[in-house]
Amino acid sequence: SKVLGEFEFTEAPAVIVELRGSALTLDGCTARGELRVGEASYRGIGCESLTSAFRYENRVLTFPLAQLRRAQGGGTGGLVFDFNRDEVRLVNIRGSAFPPEIATWIHPNLVRDVSPYRFKAPPNLVVDGLVHTKGGKSTKLTVEVDAPLGMNYTFLGRELSAPQISGKLRFLWDRMYIEGLSAMLFGGRLRGDAEISLRREKPSHTVRMQAENIDFASLTKLYFKYDDSQGRLNGRYDFTGRGDDARTMRGSGELTVTDGNVFAIPFLGPFSGILNTIVPGMGYNLARRAYAPFTVNSGIIETPQLVIEGAGFSMIGNGQLFFLDDRMDFDMRINAQGLPGVLLFPVSKLFEYTSDDTLSKPNWRPKVVPKMQPAN
């Protein structure tokens, strides 16, 4: 009766039913029949029509093959309402719809878990599994998603737009798993998996990401407002966190930027002028490749070895970037080719620089200042 009370009918539904039993009560009879619903809504989400055979026995209502039509999307599949166990089973439901609307029909608590994934058009869905309607531990639901027109998602306070995305969501009581994620992003592809806690009192997530041929300029402009970066990004990043608090993020990974202008990144920009003081004209050569393993902890990116390669020079650095506080503590050594004579290690010490100022406008200064020998 509670389920029926959440329907609103614009048109009177048609029900053909055959009842058998010792009494005209929900517990005392069985029923078989056919349901035909015109324009209606359930929990505020509308449909144009719904048709299905049904049967009812031992407080279990089964729709073996329901057919749903909506203004945006629709689908077919089976539904089983088990009122003894407070469970709803979804059997091979296939169609297209916005996930929050389908979640509203299944169980309102699911809406908040799928709402962050904002699809541009109803994605194609395959839904199968069990949902406990009162938050019990028997929930085991799988949702396969294919969105050829893409999705938007907010990550670290920025809006990411994926023009195409697919993957699988698995709900197990208090956790959601994202498996086989594949998304077009910034002209490349992002792949990954995630485990996300659905307990509001204990938010947490574990994510594994692999970036392939991402447009470095688009990424750095969105997150760091860099205007002139170039190149393609490849790398991986595995991390954990709690909610959307960036300071709780802990992770590690590695990245490579190729065919780029590394000096367009503000904290490395001054090295273009520094190189010109070492070898005139060298600073106009673009640093085409950069590689670094890194860790992230409490708003700090740390790398033991940032390697930058350019025409006629290489740079090797290490240190910390406090990306949430606009600070840095970083050392960099320049090895230049084309100098008169052979550039040996003791000489390269003359080209070591350090900065512990702001990340956005760093002040690089020589780390070792050579002592001038007195004239004879």
Side-chain angles (χ1 to χ4, degrees), residues 263-302:
F263 292 152
I265 303 174
F267 93 94
L268 294 174
F271 278 100
S272 178
I274 292 172
L275 285 169
N276 276 333
T277 65
I278 299 173
V279 177
M282 183 176 290
Y284 300 114
N285 295 326
L286 298 182
R288 292 295 186 182
R289 184 180 186 275
Y291 165 80
F294 64 92
T295 60
V296 176
N297 192 346
S298 301
I300 304 170
I301 302 173
E302 183 170 4

Side-chain angles (χ1 to χ4, degrees), residues 216 229-230 257 260-266 268-269 286-290 308-309:
F216 189 57
S229 299
Q230 301 172 18
V257 178
N261 178 11
V262 178
F263 292 152
I265 303 174
L268 294 174
L286 298 182
R288 292 295 186 182
R289 184 180 186 275
I308 299 171
E309 299 174 358

Side-chain angles (χ1 to χ4, degrees), residues 3-4 7 31-33 35 53-64 78-84 87-89:
V3 173
L4 293 177
F7 279 95
R32 294 179 181 271
L35 174 66
F54 69 88
R55 61 179 180 271
Y56 177 84
E57 186 173 4
N58 297 326
R59 293 181 56 80
V60 176
L61 176 62
T62 302
F63 296 91
L79 290 168
V80 180
F81 296 87
D82 189 332
F83 301 109
N84 297 305
E87 294 174 345
V88 178
R89 181 176 294 278

Side-chain angles (χ1 to χ4, degrees), residues 161-280:
S161 181
Q164 179 277 329
I165 189 168
S166 62
K168 179 187 292 185
L169 305 180
R170 286 197 303 120
F171 296 88
L172 297 177
W173 181 43
D174 63 345
R175 309 199 75 76
M176 179 176 72
Y177 296 84
I178 301 176
E179 300 173 344
L181 172 70
S182 176
M184 295 293 296
L185 188 67
F186 298 135
R189 185 164 292 278
L190 182 70
R191 304 182 189 275
D193 302 280
E195 178 182 346
I196 302 170
S197 171
L198 303 180
R199 300 176 64 179
R200 291 303 178 264
E201 72 278 11
K202 291 184 178 181
S204 66
H205 53 260
T206 301
V207 182
R208 296 162 294 277
M209 297 193 305
Q210 183 83 26
E212 303 171 358
N213 203 34
I214 299 291
D215 180 47
F216 189 57
S218 299
L219 178 67
T220 54
K221 183 176 179 62
L222 177 65
Y223 278 97
F224 304 105
K225 299 182 180 179
Y226 300 166
D227 292 325
D228 301 316
S229 299
Q230 301 172 18
R232 312 303 296 184
L233 170 69
N234 289 272
R236 64 168 184 85
Y237 182 36
D238 302 338
F239 65 95
T240 63
R242 294 195 301 272
D244 57 0
D245 184 356
R247 289 193 187 276
T248 68
M249 187 164 55
R250 309 282 188 274
S252 64
E254 58 185 22
L255 59 85
T256 301
V257 178
T258 55
D259 300 322
N261 178 11
V262 178
F263 292 152
I265 303 174
F267 93 94
L268 294 174
F271 278 100
S272 178
I274 292 172
L275 285 169
N276 276 333
T277 65
I278 299 173
V279 177

Side-chain angles (χ1 to χ4, degrees), residues 72 111 283 375:
Q72 287 187 310
V111 176

